[in-house]
Amino acid sequence: MRKGWPVLVSLVVLSLSGCSQSARTADMINPVPPSALHKAAIQQALLHDTYDGTGEPEPIKLEQIALDSVYALATWTRGDAGDTGGQALLRWEEGSWKVLIN
């Protein structure tokens, strides 16, 4: 785990807590699932971030995604057995998802 993780999570939580209560309640009642385009872009960003450059990369399987404004939290696995994986915090920047913490 990277050293900046607790600080970044605190910043994201603080920025999300600034939303109005009615908007947050509406999001929780009727969550909007991520589009296929966002899923594919998140998979690509994770593949780029985790691929070590040797051999054929195993595909990334997204287990769960939470989107809020320009941030995404993704739980992912790799490989048939799903023995590799984790969670990643991503940010939408310049038309694509960028991995902040993985």
Side-chain angles (χ1 to χ4, degrees), residues 18-42:
C19 297
S20 69
Q21 183 61 35
S22 61
R24 298 303 304 152
T25 304
D27 289 348
M28 290 179 224
I29 294 171
N30 298 314
V32 177
S35 68
L37 182 62
H38 279 289
K39 286 181 181 179
I42 289 170

Side-chain angles (χ1 to χ4, degrees), residues 14 17 28 33 36-37 46-47 51-52 57 64-65 83 91:
L14 286 174
S17 66
M28 290 179 224
L37 182 62
L46 287 168
L47 182 63
Y51 181 53
D52 64 3
Q64 198 170 24
I65 302 172
D83 53 353
R91 180 179 167 89

Side-chain angles (χ1 to χ4, degrees), residues 72-84:
L73 181 62
T75 303
W76 61 275
T77 58
R78 170 179 268 150
D80 294 331
D83 53 353
T84 303

